Amino acid sequence: GDLDRRRRRKRSPPVAMMSWAASPQRKGKEAANAAMDAALSVNERILRDIAACYAEPGAGETAEPQLDPAALQPGKDKLMAICSKLGLSCIAPRRKINVMIVGNHSAGKSSYINWYCCEHVQTTAVAIETSGFSFCTSGKKRETLRGKATLQLFEHLRHDLKGFFPAIYPGLSTEVSTSKERCFNLVTFIDTPGLVDGSFHYPFPVEDIIVAMARHTDLIYVLFDPIGQALCDRTMNVIERLNEQHATKMRYFLSKADTVPLERDRQKVIVQITQNLSSRIRNKHAFELPSLYIPDKSSTGSESIDNNIERTCDEIESAVHQNVQNNLDKLGEDCQLIDETICSLLKQDDVARAHNRRAALYGYALLALSLQPLLFALAFALDKMALPPLGQLRLVAPQAHAIAIAVGVALVDSPPPAALALRPDSTEADGAADSAAALEADRPSLGGAAGLLSLQQFLGGCAALFVALQLASLLVRRYRPAYSSRTRASLVATRSFVSSDLRERKARLYKSYLDQCSSGVS
């Protein structure tokens, strides 16, 4: 009975080895993922799937680009890893757009961010509250990051801000909010320090950093305070520098319009700001300076004032849609780049393999040819010394023997053989003499013509020819580097993965995006 119980215990699988597919944990996780997918918008799902094509969620930094096709893992490597192993530089597209807000102090920058995400994430006051660069983004829980943690979160800024280390560290912070209002889950706001003139000292070059960060922004909102120092020199200098490279990203607004209740006064402020900007910006044509104010904080009687704050939301939403299109296009371009790179590597490898085959053919042919002078020299030397092995060579290969003797007789002087000078006082001497006589009888008659070379010269020439052909064989057999069969198979499989799987995924994502725009798209 104990033996049967032990056998049954061995046959039954342990609980720890239950199929994960049938476990309740797996089912619960799949249900949670399905619920999360249902809660995401179409744009969020598309951007998430595009990001998954470039790298695994939570993956660390990608190694520096270095050509190493042997390290490819088809089906496992994502686009970032593939580009790195092919020696290509690739930057993953951003899932969120960046909106930078610039203006003088107390221009309403932080108030606007709080209004947009419907949460108090930024401190607001009349005095200078934002003395550094504050990033406001959406996340899973409320959190505040400082200094280096901010750079770790926004890794794409590290390169452009490297010249301002370490002074910039205290001036960087990130406010993570759980808000999902409007398009905040696809937007990152960059709240810049309030710009003032006078003796106020910034611990870092604020103007240079604003210009550096602007390279990674999709929109730049410039807010002018009608009562504060909207026209201060520092603000105008920053606007001028930004307009030189990012004119299409910039939008200008007159903030806190409710603080100027009279239309006449507002028009005067707009005219003054426009006159100051006209000499500093390039895109003067169709220039607009709409007014806006925070509805919740508006003063009494502000209902008659034109408020364009919803227009800013439309601009952000349009930028989000444009970001989705740009990411889809970039996915296709990167797939095309990888496909072309792998094709080029395979063609180069084909050329190298063909060259190596020709080099091996010619090289080994020269190597075989280099043995002929040695055979001629050996045959003629045996003939001169009238040794028995030559008789065996004549019997085995009469044509080769005849050619060797003919070449030797034509090129070499023919002194009497050494063997004939010996006294035939023994049986061995008689045999040697008979062999020599037989060989002399077999030699072709050249009409008594004298040879061109002495025996020493002939043997030395054969040795020199042997060395020359050996060197030529080594020179010809210089192979080009070529990939192994395993590496070629990895390149082909990677190309198939990128060309078929990723491009098909990109087509499905593009169709999902277009379907939300128009139901008539097939």
Side-chain angles (χ1 to χ4, degrees), residues 262-332:
L262 297 179
E263 179 67 23
R264 179 180 178 182
D265 294 336
R266 287 198 304 274
Q267 291 300 323
K268 286 183 178 180
V269 172
I270 293 174
V271 169
Q272 291 176 0
I273 295 174
T274 304
Q275 288 177 347
N276 279 272
L277 287 176
S278 61
S279 61
R280 296 177 179 268
I281 63 176
R282 295 183 303 169
N283 52 338
K284 305 180 184 67
H285 182 69
F287 175 80
E288 291 183 299
L289 187 64
S291 58
L292 59 84
Y293 57 90
I294 306 300
D296 300 337
K297 298 183 178 181
S298 59
S299 58
T300 305
S302 59
E303 294 80 5
S304 60
I305 301 175
D306 187 22
N307 190 4
N308 293 274
I309 195 167
E310 292 295 337
R311 178 177 173 181
T312 63
C313 301
D314 296 337
E315 292 273 2
I316 293 175
E317 186 175 357
S318 298
V320 169
H321 284 285
Q322 187 62 48
N323 185 48
V324 175
Q325 298 175 35
N326 293 341
N327 286 8
L328 288 169
D329 294 339
K330 190 177 189 306
L331 176 60

Side-chain angles (χ1 to χ4, degrees), residues 472-486:
S473 175
L474 292 176
L475 291 175
V476 170
R477 285 184 292 131
R478 288 187 298 182
Y479 300 138
R480 295 178 182 176
Y483 298 131
S484 64
S485 300
R486 182 177 180 180

Side-chain angles (χ1 to χ4, degrees), residues 103-109 125-130 193-197 202 225 228-230 232 235 256:
N104 60 292
H105 83 278
S106 190
K109 302 185 296 296
V126 177
I128 300 177
E129 290 292 341
T130 307
L195 301 176
V196 295
D197 289 333
Y202 295 92
D225 180 11
Q229 302 178 8
C232 71
T235 303
K256 297 185 177 182

Side-chain angles (χ1 to χ4, degrees), residues 23-36:
S23 63
Q25 292 86 350
R26 169 85 181 254
K27 295 179 180 179
K29 187 174 182 180
E30 290 180 350
N33 291 337
M36 290 179 62

Side-chain angles (χ1 to χ4, degrees), residues 5-287:
R5 281 195 297 272
R6 283 197 296 269
R7 286 177 179 175
R8 286 195 298 270
R9 202 177 300 123
K10 288 182 180 179
R11 292 194 197 102
S12 61
V15 177
M17 297 181 63
M18 289 178 59
S19 175
W20 171 248
S23 63
Q25 292 86 350
R26 169 85 181 254
K27 295 179 180 179
K29 187 174 182 180
E30 290 180 350
N33 291 337
M36 290 179 62
D37 289 344
L40 296 177
S41 64
V42 175
N43 288 339
E44 288 180 276
R45 287 198 297 270
I46 292 174
L47 293 173
R48 182 200 59 187
D49 292 345
I50 292 175
C53 292
Y54 280 86
E56 290 289 349
E61 286 189 50
T62 306
E64 289 294 328
Q66 185 177 3
L67 184 59
D68 186 15
L72 287 172
Q73 296 179 342
K76 295 182 180 180
D77 287 337
K78 301 298 183 180
L79 285 178
M80 294 287 289
I82 293 174
C83 289
S84 176
K85 295 173 183 178
L86 293 178
L88 302 174
S89 179
C90 179
I91 300 176
R94 290 181 283 109
R95 295 178 61 177
K96 299 182 179 183
I97 66 169
N98 292 334
V99 180
M100 178 185 286
I101 304 181
V102 182
N104 60 292
H105 83 278
S106 190
K109 302 185 296 296
S110 300
S111 298
Y112 174 78
I113 295 175
N114 293 339
W115 172 82
Y116 188 90
C117 63
C118 298
E119 186 176 334
H120 189 79
V121 295
Q122 290 290 90
T123 305
T124 59
V126 177
I128 300 177
E129 290 292 341
T130 307
S131 58
F133 292 86
S134 180
F135 296 80
C136 300
T137 187
S138 177
K140 295 181 179 179
K141 67 175 184 177
R142 187 74 172 87
E143 190 65 64
T144 300
L145 306 177
R146 303 288 182 188
K148 294 183 179 180
T150 295
L151 287 177
Q152 191 69 25
L153 182 61
F154 301 99
E155 186 68 28
H156 56 279
L157 296 175
R158 184 180 295 275
H159 176 72
D160 290 306
L161 299 182
K162 188 180 298 183
F164 307 106
F165 295 163
I168 187 61
Y169 289 149
L172 294 177
S173 64
T174 301
E175 297 293 337
V176 182
S177 170
T178 58
S179 173
K180 303 295 181 183
E181 295 293 330
R182 300 182 176 90
C183 296
F184 184 60
N185 50 349
L186 295 176
V187 179
T188 296
F189 286 105
I190 305 177
D191 192 3
T192 60
L195 301 176
V196 295
D197 289 333
S199 59
F200 186 83
H201 175 71
Y202 295 92
F204 41 78
V206 61
E207 298 179 27
D208 297 335
I209 295 176
I210 289 177
V211 174
M213 286 187 178
R215 301 189 186 100
H216 302 277
T217 59
D218 300 273
L219 285 174
I220 302 175
Y221 284 172
V222 182
L223 304 184
F224 294 101
D225 180 11
I227 298 178
Q229 302 178 8
L231 304 179
C232 71
D233 292 337
R234 193 186 295 271
T235 303
M236 290 299 171
N237 291 337
V238 169
I239 293 174
E240 184 176 5
R241 293 180 61 181
L242 290 175
N243 190 265
E244 291 177 357
Q245 301 178 1
H246 312 287
T248 57
K249 301 178 183 178
M250 302 184 69
R251 306 290 186 270
Y252 306 92
F253 298 95
L254 178 66
S255 62
K256 297 185 177 182
D258 57 324
T259 59
V260 186
L262 297 179
E263 179 67 23
R264 179 180 178 182
D265 294 336
R266 287 198 304 274
Q267 291 300 323
K268 286 183 178 180
V269 172
I270 293 174
V271 169
Q272 291 176 0
I273 295 174
T274 304
Q275 288 177 347
N276 279 272
L277 287 176
S278 61
S279 61
R280 296 177 179 268
I281 63 176
R282 295 183 303 169
N283 52 338
K284 305 180 184 67
H285 182 69
F287 175 80

Side-chain angles (χ1 to χ4, degrees), residues 438-501:
L439 293 175
E440 289 293 336
D442 288 342
R443 286 182 183 175
S445 176
L446 297 176
L452 300 178
L453 304 173
S454 65
L455 179 61
Q456 293 80 4
Q457 290 174 339
F458 176 72
L459 296 178
C462 289
L465 183 58
F466 170 76
V467 173
L469 291 175
Q470 285 283 333
L471 292 176
S473 175
L474 292 176
L475 291 175
V476 170
R477 285 184 292 131
R478 288 187 298 182
Y479 300 138
R480 295 178 182 176
Y483 298 131
S484 64
S485 300
R486 182 177 180 180
T487 302
R488 282 185 63 91
S490 296
L491 285 170
V492 173
T494 301
R495 182 189 177 196
S496 176
F497 168 71
V498 172
S499 300
S500 58
D501 295 357

